[in-house]
Each structure stands twice: as C-alpha cells, then as structure tokens.
Amino acid sequence: TSISSYVTTFAHIRSRLPTNISPTYDEYSSCSGSSRAAGMNGNGPGNLVDPLEDPVPGLGTYEDFNTIDWVREKSKDRDRHREITNKSRQSTVALLHSVSDAFSGWLLMLLVGLMSGALAGGIDIAAHWLTDMKDGVCLIGFWFNHEHCCWTSNETTFQERDRCPQWQSWAELITGTSEGAFAYIVNYVMYIFWALLFSFLAVILVRAFAPYACGSGIPEIKTILSGFIIRGYLGKWTLIIKTITLVLAVSSGLSLGKEGPLVHVACCCANILCHLFTKYRKNEAKRREVLSAAAAVGVSVAFGAPIGGVLFSLEEVSYYFPLKTLWRSFFAALVAAFTLRSINPFGNSRLVLFYVEFHAPWHLVELGPFILLGIFGGLWGALFIRANIAWCRRRKSTRLGHYPVIEVLVVAALTAVIAYPNSYTRMSGAELISELFNDCSLLDSSQLCGYKQPIDYPTLCLIRKPVCPIRNHSVYYPSRFPSGLFIPSMAVGAIAGRLLGVGMEQLAYYNHDWFIFKGWCSPGADCITPGLYAMVGAAACLGGVTRMTVSLVVHHVRADWRLEYIVPLMAATMTSKWVADAFGREGIYEAHIRLNGYPFLEPKEEFEHSSLAVDVMRPRRSDPALAVLTQEGMTVGEVEALVESTHYSGFPVVVSQESQRLVGFVLRRDLLISIDNARKRQEGVVSASQVVFTEHAPAQAAEAPPPLRLRGIMDLSPFTVTDHTPMDITVDIFRKLGLRQCLVTHNGRLLGIITKKDILKHMAQIANRDPDSILFN
C-alpha cells in the first residue's frame, strides 16, 4: 500500500473528528496534525490575537535537524487546494489563479529540468577540459580540450586521431620536444602538479564556503526526502560550491564519479526554484515531491537515462512517491535529458560517453559466466561497503579527521603517481568504461581491439590478440569534496567482466569443437563479445554496492537498447544482490545514513522482534514523569518554565495532572512563538496570565489578567496506539505515514510517547549496535 493512500485516508478522517478526541505527544520531534480548533477569545474583545485568523510569522514551521509532520503538511495543502477551488467559482480572476496554481507544478518541473541539464552539460565540458589540461594545452585556444583542438586539423590519422600540431604536451611547451626520458619526467611532474592543485582547490572551497557540498550527497538526500530537515544542505551556496568543486574533483584524476553528486546538484536546483512558488515554499511535504523528481533528473543527466532516473528515484531515494510525482519526474527527466542533448557535451550526439552497440547475440552457455560475474559483484560490494565504513569510522574517531586537506592531497598524490604510467588508469572513469564496453568493430582503433590483419577479405577472421590485464583503479570514496561511487564501481566490474569475456573468447576460439561450443561457434567466428561481459560486470558491481536492481538493469540496457541483453543483466544483478545481502542487507547509502546517525527508517528493513509499544515508549520506569500541559490552570510563567527546563520538541495537553486524559498536542516552537507574539501584541498578557487550551475561557476574577487562549495551535487529533500494540505494526505506521511520534494510551489515559528516535534506538539495540549512534533529534 502506498504512503499516499494512508496519508489521504487519515487526513480525511482527521478533518471529520470531533474536537473532544484525545490523542499524542513527542519528545524529540514535534508532530501535530492539522489544527481544527476555534479561535481565541477572552475578557476583552479585540484585545486577543488568534494565530489562525491573524497568522504569526514562523508558526507551523520546523527547526533545523527536526522531522516534518507529513500528515499535517498534506492536510494544509488539501485545505489550501479546497479554498482555491471554492473561490474559483466566484470570479474569473480566482479561476485564473486556480489554473495557474495547477500548472505551477509542471512549470517548476520544466525549470528544474532546464537548470539541471544546463549545469550538467557545463560540468561535463569543464571537467573534460581540465582533465586534458593535465596533459597539455591547445595553442589555438586554451579553452579547447584535446579532442576539440584536433577536430579541424588535417594532420590527424585514424590510428592517432588525437595527435595534431595544435595540441602540445607540457614537455613540448617547456623543453621543445616530446621524446626522451626528460620529456616524460616533465609531463609526469606536470600531471601530478595539476592533480594536486585541483584537489587542493576543491577541498579548500568546500571547507571555506560550503561544508555540505562534500561527498556524494545521496545519503543526506534520502534522509531529507524522508522528512528530515537539514537547513543549508540544498541551498544556493551548496549548489555553487558543489558545481565548481565537482569539476575540480573529477579533473584531479581521483577514482570518483560525478553521477551521485549530480543528484545533489539537481535537488539543490529544485529546492532553490521551489521558493518561486508559494505552495512549494510554504509546504515541506510538497517540496519533497519536487525533490523526488529532482533526484530522477540528477540520474537522467548523469547517465542520459530518463526512465532509469525515474526508477532510481522510486527504488532508491524517495520516501513518498505518489503517482503525480511519477508523471512529473518523467517530464522533468525528459526535459533535462533534452537540454543535455542540445548542449552535446561529449561531442558524439549521444547523452552519455559510453554508448555501445553489440551485434553478436549471447548464448545460453554464457549464462554461467554472467552469474559468476554476479557473485563477484556481490562479494565486491559487501567488501567495499565494510572497508569504506571502517575507513570513515576511523576518520571520525581518530586524529585523521582533523587534517582533511592533507588527507586529500596525499591520496591525490598517490593516485597521480600510480595512474600516470598506465594509459588506462590515466584516463577518466567514464572513458575507461567506454573502452571496456567496446564491441571492437573493424573501424575501432582502441588498444583493446588488436586485430590481426586479414589476408583475404572474403574469409575475414576477426582473431583478437590476447589483451593485457588492466591495472585497477583504486576506488576511493572521499567525503572532503564532491565524490560519487557509480563510475568507480562500474569500472571495477567492467574490468573483471572484460577479463572474463576475453578468457571466454579465447577459449571458444581455440576450442570451438568442445561440447559447450559445438553447434553455435564456428571455426574463426566471433562467438563471444567481451564488451557485453564488461557491461554485465559493471552492473553486478554497482548492484552489489548500492543494492539497486530494476533501475540498474534499465540503465544498462539503455547503453545498447537491445532487449535481448536484459536476461544477462537481470541474472547478474539479482545474483549480486543475493550474495551481497548474505553479508548484510544495507547498501552503501543506508550504511552511511546509519554511520552518520540520521533519523531514517529504512522501508526495506523488516522489524521482526516481538516487542510491544509499552516496551519502547518513554518515560521508562526509572525516568522522570512525562512533561505535559494541562488544558487550563497553568500560567504563562509556568508554561515558560516548563519549556525552559526541558528539551522536548512538543508537549501533550491533558485534562488535568490527575486524570491524564489526552486532549491534544502542542509543538514547542509554536508555543514559544505564540507566547512571545501575545506578549507583544495582546494587551495585558503577563506571567500570571492563565494559558487555556479549551474552546471557552473559564470564569476569572475581575482583577485577573486576561487569559491566553492557545487552542488554535493545538493538534486535536494526534496519532495514538495502545500500550499492547505490537511494535512491528507501530513501525509500519511510522514508515507509511511519516510520523515523528506517536502517543501511547491505556483506556484513553496517556502513558507515554514513542518517537522516531526511540524506534531507531530500539532497532539498534536489537541489532547489537550502539543506540547512542542516533545523533540527531
């Protein structure tokens, strides 16, 4: 059942609840449903302020590092939409406003697609240019990369299409020659110098201007889409610095990709553009619908796969994905892909660099090697996740984390020193994957395709020379500047797949009369396609690291668009997931979410413990009594003292301390804002003023100060469960409704509260992990 159906059903029920229903409280995060209370009234008409009729700035908003209330936000949007619809029947202007409101979502998706596609194209062009700058410079224009510099040259050859007089290496510029040991050393030193410079600039810019621009960003995006608020993570400074440093990081030669960070970039674009539209600026749930679509846009511009991007958002990052978001995600991803195609950053009329066309079909015998690649991918993924998390944990707990600049420079220097002597490790990850996916046609000049020249063209035999093993990229996942793991993981799998494919090819060529080859592999025929093995291996390794399945297969089929290769990809991807899950069900993004202590309830994880709500709720037996507000009888001073002495984000409202029967729930932030606003705008409100949450103010002495009625900010229908509700059901409610907390009652009497943080701590204890690792409130 989709979360949207739960939200819609419960919000509809809440709107029809009577005002005397008893419900909820939260300790660490505040969740109040839509307030349906009457306004304020008191001793003197005109002297009291109603926060509903006269909205107070900041009321109903959330603090940093808090979780939104999905149900309240959806209720607010439904009320807003109902009001616009009712007014549209009254005048033409209101009708036009209704039409524009309905169209604003599609307009926003158009802008997100255009902006993200343009930025992605600029990042690709700039990264290609700076990467080539490590090797040399173009004399006719320093802004040209190597390929563009030699496009107009008449002195290039098929075998050396990138060599032209217009492009000169640093050795040629400095020493006047490109031959000899000294020229090699000059080029080597310049390569290391540029790598260190790009790495240094990237890490310094991130540390100085936008610390949130570091890393991939996908774990934080998943957490934000689940309802958590991290202010500034999707801001304009993060966008600017991430765009610049992403180019520098990729150009430095480190084994990282720009695909994950492009998801962060697209979400930053969407968040900034949301401020142009009121209904998205003022509603956190609606904004997250846009961010879900933006995640699809990020993958679309990263891989040129609009459909794969939509499936990636649905399968991997989105927490709430209604059907309307599916349509808009596809539209935005399509616009972004069209924009990127118009820019044509790779100069090949394709959306991606590693576009291939396989011509030879695969055979049933090859399913065994494909499954072997899946096993390798699963083992690699499990090993990579454990090693990566261990390194990151060591960085957090040792002095290593205090020297990020030195750490990055050391890694960049080592990578440059090791990578330069080998032409394959020197090229970018995308170029390496393109080489490994190569089909080795007759017009291909790749060094991986060393064909023996045929003696007689009609009896052409495409006999490939043995291919030397390619030195593996060191897959490093730094978090000090923008970095992604899509391309490095795919490169590892593509290398393993290519090696296995070449081995199978040689085996089939020299042993075509074996039983397994007999009947479909003729002597001298091109029976095996090593590039297909590389593509399957890339999918297997990426699937082992991220645990993606459907979106991953769709993405890789897009590289060739021949549906007959779906079966090998599906077999390898599912095998990879099963093998990796045997060592741990967490993908790399979930592992980093847990490492960072983000309050994220993983939808894929099953809760199998037989505990009850009373076992998890707070307060425990040794804890102080639950901090509550009474619906009448407390003064402004007492309320302020209670708020000041506690750190809770919300308080339940009960009939009295003796009865403990639940009336509603009030957010800490709303309570403080309302009291402060009343002191400024309402005459006579002092510390001795009575605070009431009832519909009618109680009788008071004539000399008493006027009461402060705050029923308008109270949630009259918070969610509750009984003390004997199984925790697996409670966890399911939290996940599907996006709750921040739920109150626990017994026969209508308030017993305690269960927050999202309490559930996460309980699940950590069950898994024998440190419950205090849940850092954020």
Side-chain angles (χ1 to χ4, degrees):
T1 306
S2 65
I3 186 174
S4 58
S5 61
Y6 276 96
V7 171
T8 303
T9 303
F10 275 91
H12 178 71
I13 293 173
R14 298 177 77 175
S15 66
R16 296 176 176 271
L17 286 175
T19 57
N20 59 352
I21 288 288
S22 297
T24 310
Y25 161 108
D26 173 6
E27 187 171 351
Y28 294 97
S29 26
S30 40
C31 150
S32 59
S34 57
S35 299
R36 297 275 186 257
M40 294 182 180
N41 53 44
N43 293 338
N47 294 330
L48 299 180
V49 179
D50 190 335
L52 293 182
E53 296 179 358
D54 189 8
V56 178
L59 204 62
T61 59
Y62 304 94
E63 294 180 343
D64 200 8
F65 301 125
N66 269 259
T67 305
I68 71 168
D69 181 353
W70 285 91
V71 179
R72 182 176 72 166
E73 297 300 304
K74 295 299 294 183
S75 298
K76 284 166 53 179
D77 182 67
R78 189 187 65 250
D79 294 342
R80 182 197 61 81
H81 185 266
R82 183 185 294 117
E83 181 181 0
I84 292 177
T85 302
N86 293 335
K87 288 183 177 180
S88 66
R89 304 187 183 98
Q90 301 174 3
S91 66
T92 304
V93 175
L95 178 62
L96 293 176
H97 179 258
S98 175
V99 172
S100 65
D101 180 78
F103 182 71
S104 61
W106 295 99
L107 177 59
L108 178 56
M109 291 297 101
L110 176 66
L111 295 176
V112 171
L114 291 173
M115 185 174 179
S116 301
L119 283 176
I123 289 172
D124 288 331
I125 294 172
H128 197 175
W129 170 57
L130 289 182
T131 300
D132 288 348
M133 184 178 287
K134 293 186 298 183
D135 297 323
V137 67
C138 184
L139 298 181
I140 60 176
F142 73 92
W143 55 88
F144 289 122
N145 60 39
H146 195 167
E147 184 180 4
H148 291 174
C149 186
C150 294
W151 265 0
T152 58
S153 177
N154 296 323
E155 303 179 42
T156 57
T157 63
F158 177 75
Q159 295 295 334
E160 297 181 342
R161 64 185 67 180
D162 289 334
R163 291 185 65 86
C164 62
Q166 291 84 0
W167 178 269
Q168 289 195 0
S169 65
W170 292 110
E172 290 178 289
L173 290 173
I174 296 174
T175 66
T177 179
S178 61
E179 306 294 334
F182 184 68
Y184 181 85
I185 294 174
V186 171
N187 285 330
Y188 203 158
V189 171
M190 291 301 298
Y191 182 89
I192 297 174
F193 166 76
W194 286 112
L196 291 175
L197 178 62
F198 294 156
S199 302
F200 177 76
L201 291 176
V203 69
I204 285 297
L205 287 174
V206 168
R207 282 178 57 82
F209 298 102
Y212 282 154
C214 64
S216 165
I218 293 182
E220 287 76 16
I221 295 297
K222 289 189 66 170
T223 307
I224 290 173
L225 289 179
S226 72
F228 197 58
I229 293 178
I230 308 178
R231 302 219 181 272
Y233 198 84
L234 302 177
K236 58 181 181 300
W237 271 111
T238 302
L239 174 63
I240 294 171
I241 298 302
K242 186 125 190 174
T243 302
I244 296 172
T245 55
L246 179 56
V247 174
L248 294 170
V250 172
S251 305
S252 67
L254 287 169
S255 294
L256 47 83
K258 60 180 181 297
E259 289 68 29
L262 279 176
V263 175
H264 188 186
V265 168
C267 288
C268 287
C269 294
N271 184 67
I272 293 170
L273 292 172
C274 277
H275 287 81
L276 301 177
F277 302 87
T278 304
K279 74 174 182 179
Y280 294 105
R281 182 176 67 250
K282 294 185 176 182
N283 193 293
E284 295 289 348
K286 295 292 292 181
R287 188 182 306 181
R288 275 152 181 77
E289 294 179 16
V290 178
L291 295 179
S292 294
V297 170
V299 175
S300 176
V301 296
F303 292 103
I307 299 177
V310 175
L311 291 176
F312 170 80
S313 179
L314 176 61
E315 178 183 6
E316 187 61 26
V317 298
S318 291
Y319 200 86
Y320 174 60
F321 204 86
L323 187 60
K324 176 175 57 178
T325 302
L326 176 68
W327 300 332
R328 292 180 176 176
S329 298
F330 181 74
F331 173 71
L334 188 64
V335 171
F338 176 78
T339 304
L340 186 64
R341 171 65 181 82
S342 302
I343 296 174
N344 193 19
F346 303 114
N348 58 2
S349 299
R350 306 288 185 185
L351 288 177
V352 290
L353 186 59
F354 41 91
Y355 179 85
V356 293
E357 291 184 2
F358 300 131
H359 303 288
W362 67 280
H363 299 271
L364 189 61
V365 175
E366 297 179 89
L367 200 57
F370 293 148
I371 293 176
L372 286 178
L373 287 174
I375 295 174
F376 170 78
L379 293 174
W380 161 260
L383 177 63
F384 175 79
I385 291 173
R386 292 196 176 188
N388 182 265
I389 295 301
W391 177 262
C392 292
R393 185 175 287 113
R394 181 177 179 81
R395 179 193 291 142
K396 285 176 174 288
S397 59
T398 63
R399 294 178 60 85
L400 180 64
H402 299 293
Y403 307 100
V405 178
I406 296 177
E407 178 191 3
V408 170
L409 291 179
V410 169
V411 173
L414 290 175
T415 303
V417 169
I418 296 174
Y420 184 81
N422 190 311
S423 61
Y424 290 103
T425 54
R426 191 162 65 242
M427 65 178 60
S428 67
E431 291 175 322
L432 175 62
I433 293 174
S434 180
E435 288 282 306
L436 295 168
F437 282 10
N438 208 309
D439 191 32
C440 289
S441 61
L442 288 175
L443 298 179
D444 206 307
S445 63
S446 172
Q447 296 179 13
L448 294 179
C449 305
Y451 296 110
K452 294 181 178 179
Q453 295 299 324
I455 299 175
D456 184 16
Y457 185 78
T459 59
L460 177 64
C461 296
L462 301 181
I463 306 174
R464 295 185 177 91
K465 297 177 182 178
V467 180
C468 298
I470 304 169
R471 189 174 303 171
N472 187 2
H473 272 237
S474 60
V475 182
Y476 184 68
Y477 186 42
S479 63
R480 302 306 186 182
F481 50 68
S483 56
L485 51 80
F486 275 53
I487 289 298
S489 300
M490 291 175 63
V492 170
I495 291 171
R498 186 82 188 194
L499 291 174
L500 181 60
V502 170
M504 287 292 295
E505 179 191 41
Q506 299 297 310
L507 190 66
Y509 179 78
Y510 291 109
N511 303 278
H512 56 81
D513 55 345
W514 282 12
F515 173 75
I516 60 174
F517 300 117
K518 196 172 183 179
W520 63 273
C521 188
S522 304
D526 192 16
C527 305
I528 305 293
T529 306
L532 174 60
Y533 283 74
M535 186 172 73
V536 172
C541 275
L542 184 56
V545 172
T546 63
R547 311 299 164 84
M548 293 189 298
T549 53
V550 180
S551 58
L552 190 59
V553 171
V554 171
H555 159 65
H556 277 78
V557 168
R558 182 264 325 134
D560 182 78
W561 288 118
R562 295 188 66 180
L563 298 181
E564 62 182 286
Y565 301 123
I566 285 183
V567 173
L569 288 168
M570 291 177 65
T573 303
M574 286 307 304
T575 303
S576 172
K577 176 175 172 54
W578 288 333
V579 172
D581 283 349
F583 295 91
R585 300 186 65 86
E586 286 183 334
I588 184 65
Y589 303 128
E590 292 78 20
H592 273 273
I593 287 174
R594 181 167 58 84
L595 176 67
N596 293 327
Y598 297 138
F600 181 79
L601 276 174
E602 175 56 53
K604 305 172 188 175
E605 186 177 356
E606 296 292 334
F607 186 89
E608 299 176 350
H609 200 265
S610 58
S611 54
L612 301 176
V614 70
D615 302 322
V616 181
M617 75 173 192
R618 303 177 72 178
R620 308 288 172 81
R621 292 181 178 179
S622 59
D623 292 343
L626 200 63
V628 297
L629 299 173
T630 57
Q631 65 178 357
E632 57 183 54
M634 296 185 70
T635 64
V636 170
E638 292 172 340
V639 171
E640 290 178 329
L642 177 64
V643 173
E644 194 68 29
S645 62
T646 60
H647 59 276
Y648 308 140
S649 292
F651 301 89
V653 180
V654 295
V655 173
S656 65
Q657 294 285 357
E658 294 75 22
S659 71
Q660 289 290 308
R661 292 199 174 272
L662 194 60
V663 176
F665 183 84
V666 176
L667 298 178
R668 176 194 188 98
R669 180 180 176 85
D670 290 352
L671 190 62
L672 290 176
I673 291 176
S674 298
I675 292 177
D676 183 65
N677 180 73
R679 284 184 178 274
K680 295 177 181 178
R681 300 173 56 187
Q682 183 176 331
E683 183 180 351
V685 173
V686 293
S687 296
S689 298
Q690 188 178 12
V691 177
V692 295
F693 296 94
T694 56
E695 188 171 355
H696 302 287
Q700 289 186 309
E703 66 278 3
L708 177 60
R709 292 204 57 241
L710 297 181
R711 185 179 176 84
I713 66 171
M714 183 174 62
D715 177 12
L716 294 171
S717 53
F719 285 97
T720 62
V721 295
T722 66
D723 50 346
H724 291 289
T725 303
M727 275 306 299
D728 56 342
I729 296 179
T730 304
V731 172
D732 206 35
I733 293 174
F734 268 80
R735 285 173 176 160
K736 288 183 167 59
L737 293 178
L739 298 184
R740 306 174 66 183
Q741 80 289 312
C742 188
L743 297 179
V744 181
T745 61
H746 178 74
N747 293 334
R749 187 174 183 272
L750 179 64
L751 293 182
I753 179 173
I754 299 176
T755 68
K756 181 186 283 190
K757 187 173 181 180
D758 294 329
I759 291 178
L760 291 169
K761 283 191 172 186
H762 183 67
M763 296 174 72
Q765 287 177 332
I766 293 174
N768 295 321
R769 299 196 304 263
D770 181 15
D772 292 330
S773 62
I774 312 301
L775 303 178
F776 290 107
N777 292 336

